[in-house]
Amino acid sequence: MPGQAASSAVSTFPWGRRHLTCSLRAVSARTMANFVELSTKAKVPILGLGTWKLWPTFMEKHLVRESCQKTLKDLRLDYLDLYLIHFLQALQPGEDLIPKDDKGDTISSKTTFLDTWEAVEELVDEGLVKNIGISNFNHFQIERLLNKPGLKYKPVINQVECHPYLTQEKLIQYCQSKGISATAYSPLGCPNRSGAKPEDPSLLEDPKINEIAAKHKKSAAQVLIRFHIQRHVIVIPKSVTFARIAENFQVFDFKLSDEEMATLLSLNRDWRYYPFHWLKSLEEYPFYAEY
């Protein structure tokens, strides 16, 4: 729920958090700004700004600046630290966040992510955003972007689902070789996600992960977060429970051994908790590629 997401974000301030990552479907900019001000008597800039994502129905070039400016207005900010293209497939603009035709298929736009990138580059030039990045891109699509004629700014980050069941080794190595940081979303498997099935594998209940956790007197969640830190991957765990949020910060007082890291990497099964089935029929669906 939007209010719950905003509340959980604010509750991390005492632990030193000053950066939030938000998307249009998770919580509105206005909800976040209002909740921060009401809860802390402070304006949103206390967060050190943050990361916002451009939703696919706003990827047409003439809509990018308008969408960004609306976000800034709602957040009461002059600029964003980081602005990401949420998905690389543009969708038909309109009121529906996931537009469907009569057959139930998602309706795409003729706009390409290369067109959209030109528009977000303009946001940097205008000072509306400081950095720009991408999310859910495979290495072929990143290569196309990096080889784009007239490229002014390369992406600073590729935000992707990543955890021991989806280690993304090749994609992370590729991104880092190009000077692009990798950010891992759903690092804990997002067990409370909508559409979760009882038979889906659970990272937090995995016996090997819990065995490692017991050895260090830590939780499975702490091991999963530490796993990414030691891979030099930015990790953004999600929780709405204060005790768990506090626990997620206690990951700098232990280190996983090389053997433990190898064990966690060996759990890879290319399992996605978020396969984005509603994009599968579209040309730019990124997950058919190996990485």
Side-chain angles (χ1 to χ4, degrees):
M1 296 176 64
Q4 191 178 35
S7 173
S8 65
V10 172
S11 71
T12 64
F13 292 175
W15 295 93
R17 183 175 186 174
R18 290 296 182 269
H19 189 102
L20 301 180
T21 298
C22 302
S23 68
L24 184 59
R25 297 195 76 190
V27 56
S28 74
R30 184 170 298 174
T31 297
M32 181 63 73
N34 289 342
F35 198 95
V36 170
E37 188 166 358
L38 288 171
S39 301
T40 67
K41 309 301 181 185
K43 302 291 185 180
V44 169
I46 195 172
L47 306 181
L49 308 181
T51 300
W52 202 266
K53 296 178 182 178
L54 177 69
W55 190 254
T57 53
F58 298 95
M59 283 177 62
E60 294 192 3
K61 291 184 72 172
H62 70 285
L63 295 176
V64 172
R65 191 174 190 277
E66 176 185 327
S67 179
C68 181
Q69 286 185 314
K70 183 180 186 306
T71 296
L72 290 171
K73 180 180 178 181
D74 289 345
L75 287 172
R76 304 165 202 157
L77 293 177
D78 295 323
Y79 69 90
L80 292 171
D81 252 356
L82 176 63
Y83 204 46
L84 306 182
I85 296 179
H86 200 147
F87 299 101
L88 59 167
Q89 177 70 63
L91 302 181
Q92 176 180 277
E95 295 184 1
D96 295 331
L97 294 182
I98 305 178
K100 303 278 188 176
D101 61 20
D102 295 338
K103 297 180 180 179
D105 295 327
T106 304
I107 306 173
S108 64
S109 163
K110 293 182 179 179
T111 296
T112 70
F113 65 83
L114 297 178
D115 298 325
T116 305
W117 193 255
E118 292 180 1
V120 296
E121 285 181 324
E122 292 176 3
L123 299 178
V124 178
D125 290 337
E126 294 179 42
L128 298 178
V129 301
K130 295 297 183 182
N131 299 281
I132 49 179
I134 52 181
S135 182
N136 300 303
F137 277 50
N138 65 39
H139 86 284
F140 292 117
Q141 293 153 340
I142 297 172
E143 196 73 18
R144 282 164 56 194
L145 179 56
L146 294 178
N147 291 329
K148 177 186 174 298
L151 182 74
K152 295 177 68 175
Y153 307 108
K154 73 177 186 180
V156 298
I157 274 176
N158 186 22
Q159 188 179 112
V160 296
E161 180 180 344
C162 191
H163 42 72
Y165 291 166
L166 182 67
T167 56
Q168 301 273 29
E169 274 288 272
K170 290 184 178 181
L171 182 58
I172 290 171
Q173 290 173 8
Y174 171 81
C175 288
Q176 292 175 342
S177 74
K178 299 295 182 180
I180 300 171
S181 297
T183 298
Y185 69 74
S186 298
L188 312 182
C190 205
N192 295 322
R193 70 194 183 283
S194 61
K197 300 177 182 178
E199 64 270 21
D200 289 346
S202 172
L203 283 163
L204 296 176
E205 296 175 3
D206 187 284
K208 290 186 177 180
I209 294 173
N210 277 282
E211 182 180 341
I212 294 172
K215 179 180 176 182
H216 291 278
K217 297 182 180 180
K218 293 290 184 178
S219 68
Q222 289 170 316
V223 167
L224 291 168
I225 294 169
R226 184 70 200 181
F227 168 68
H228 290 296
I229 292 172
Q230 291 185 210
R231 301 171 79 203
H232 306 291
V233 171
I234 301 163
V235 56
I236 49 174
K238 175 185 176 182
S239 180
V240 295
T241 305
F242 180 78
R244 290 175 181 167
I245 292 170
E247 178 185 280
N248 290 345
F249 280 87
Q250 307 305 309
V251 293
F252 299 102
D253 57 351
F254 77 106
K255 183 177 181 180
L256 300 172
S257 68
D258 291 343
E259 182 181 354
E260 290 167 337
M261 289 293 292
T263 296
L264 293 172
L265 288 169
S266 73
L267 298 178
N268 182 60
R269 58 178 79 178
D270 294 327
W271 171 267
R272 294 184 184 275
Y273 291 102
Y274 288 100
F276 302 116
H277 292 296
W278 46 278
L279 287 174
K280 279 191 170 183
S281 63
L282 303 182
E283 182 180 357
E284 293 289 4
Y285 183 72
F287 304 147
Y288 290 130
E290 179 187 0
Y291 69 98

